[in-house]
Amino acid sequence: MNTAGVRAEAEIRARADGRGGTALPVLESRGPLALRRTRGSGAAAHVTLVGAMSGPHGGDHFTVRADVGPDARLRVGSAAATLALPGQHGGQARQDVRITVAAGGELHWLPEPLISVTGSELAVHTHVDLAPGARLVLREELVLGRTGEDPGRLTSRLTVRVDGRPVLDQELDCGPGAGGGWDGPAVLGGHRAVGQLVVCDPEFTEKPVEPGVPADGLAVLPLTGPAVLVGAVAADALELRGLLNRAPAFFTPGSPASA
Amino acid sequence: MSRAALLVLADGRFPAGGHAHSGGAEAAVHAGRITGAASLEDFCRGRLHTTGLVSAALAASAALGVDPAALDAAADARTPSPALRAAARKLGRQLLRAARATWPGVELDALARRFPKGAHQPVVLGVAARAAGLGPQDAAHCALYESVGGPATATVRLLGLDPFDATAVLARLAPEADRVAEAAVRAAHRVAEEGADALPAASAPLLELLAEAHAARTGRLFAS
């Protein structure tokens, strides 16, 4: 009997249907992860990730795959925030997200925040591989503890490649047992919500985005390659979303909202 | 290994331009986040485990002979702030000039040809360590010491912090720096086997966010 935890997998394949829309030939989920096709708008298919149970708990291993084909458009959201919870048997939970987008494809990956609950231990790794000419808007929001609570241990790594070349590789490690100084003045400095928006667009090659600091706790950081990182730190999830929502207008007018 | 060569490379008086940079300390002082020895120590500890670890692993990998171009691309991906990437390349260019004069050799010449505008400083540091007959452990220690030595010295100038207190901070962090150096060298051996993806990617959001505001500020004392 497996008492170590739950394994769950979910997979989405989005393909251009040849009539200007996007079909989903694969929309599979097993275990506590569930995928629902929700009403799309225009050419984009919309999918919502529903946590059929709360999770991941310690010991669980979730894998989510999304593959967007040439000229397909997909928007993925989640029904609610994800709670990283302590497991009955202890141990670390893992969540792997593997995203590929082909030339001419577009993915908006906009899940609700991940909340690290006291006593939990979760390692997340999001791998994104983009072909030249692919478009991406990816949001990641990490919240350290529910209101007034200390966080668990949370390690989150985000790796983005364009044409095989790394444009972003960042890991945040926080909570009990993380590297010293994680809550100090160089790393999080008492902020309890940290997030980022990664925007990749081949047009950035022609029209480079200027770096800037549009608000306190928010920075627009053009990366090496056709990509921009909008980074933010805030006191809580609400303030963080407010900051990140201010960002897109600076370089991709209406982009995340229009998909 | 040559202990004397290590001292030459690690010496703050080595003419590589490091004195013009505060490792984010000036921006943190300006934001009210470093106010004395205790917050300086917390700041430096955070740097050790994030940008310090990454720099040390880059330097150790370069010292092992890993392709500098792959390491430089990996350094770019781990430095989202354009201001910090520019500072790292400028420091790399200055270090390369000093190192080529100090330890002339084909590998440093090749690096200068490959990166006329400068490679990331930790990559240059690793190749320079190699040219000086030093190993990955030496390169990692140099990178880590720089990652905290710069902020400590800068804070003495910025806050009028007692230099004895600043040096005591560095001494208290030494055992932790030793442990991070070991982790960096272990990572470097993996990089030599598996490629640059095996490099650590530990990030410090406040360093990245504050660096951009700092670069735009007039009247600053340090370039970064």
Side-chain angles (χ1 to χ4, degrees), chain A residues 77-82 110-114 139 141 241:
Chain A
S78 61
T82 300
L110 304 167
E112 294 306 304
L114 171 62
R139 182 178 67 209
E141 295 168 316
R241 180 65 64 86

Side-chain angles (χ1 to χ4, degrees), chain A:
Chain A
M1 191 178 104
N2 178 15
T3 55
V6 176
R7 294 182 73 85
E9 294 191 11
E11 183 174 359
I12 311 167
R13 265 182 236 165
R15 296 290 181 266
D17 65 6
R19 303 186 303 275
T22 297
L24 299 175
V26 175
L27 189 65
E28 286 177 4
S29 44
R30 279 185 299 279
L33 291 171
L35 295 171
R36 301 278 177 267
R37 181 162 191 168
T38 41
R39 211 154 61 120
S41 58
H46 287 198
V47 170
T48 302
L49 191 58
V50 183
M53 293 156 42
S54 60
H57 290 73
D60 293 353
H61 186 180
F62 292 3
T63 306
V64 182
R65 289 187 175 82
D67 175 49
V68 179
D71 302 319
R73 295 181 64 188
L74 175 66
R75 178 185 173 127
V76 179
S78 61
T82 300
L83 289 174
L85 296 162
Q88 270 186 313
H89 310 280
Q92 187 190 56
R94 280 176 57 193
Q95 182 166 310
D96 289 306
V97 178
R98 295 182 175 274
I99 290 169
T100 45
V101 185
E106 178 170 318
L107 173 66
H108 289 199
W109 186 265
L110 304 167
E112 294 306 304
L114 171 62
I115 303 171
S116 171
V117 168
T118 295
S120 67
E121 203 180 320
L122 174 65
V124 183
H125 196 158
T126 304
H127 306 257
V128 181
D129 272 290
L130 303 177
R135 287 182 168 78
L136 171 80
V137 178
L138 180 146
R139 182 178 67 209
E140 181 189 64
E141 295 168 316
L142 307 174
V143 180
L144 280 63
R146 291 170 294 199
T147 307
E149 146 187 287
D150 287 332
R153 172 79 178 271
L154 177 61
T155 309
S156 181
R157 184 160 181 175
L158 173 61
T159 307
V160 181
R161 286 186 184 76
V162 177
D163 198 14
R165 187 186 160 89
V167 297
L168 180 68
D169 202 343
Q170 291 263 274
E171 180 175 277
L172 183 70
D173 186 11
C174 51
W182 66 267
D183 202 20
V187 187
L188 287 178
H191 292 95
R192 281 295 168 266
V194 53
Q196 50 196 354
L197 200 59
V198 184
V199 183
C200 301
D201 191 318
E203 284 186 16
F204 292 158
T205 311
E206 308 284 312
K207 291 184 282 182
V209 173
E210 288 296 312
V213 184
D216 221 22
L218 180 70
V220 176
L221 308 170
L223 303 172
T224 307
V228 175
L229 175 78
V230 180
V233 291
D236 57 34
L238 194 65
E239 192 187 308
L240 179 68
R241 180 65 64 86
L243 279 175
L244 290 177
N245 277 348
R246 292 182 56 174
F250 290 96
F251 54 93
T252 53
S255 179
S258 68

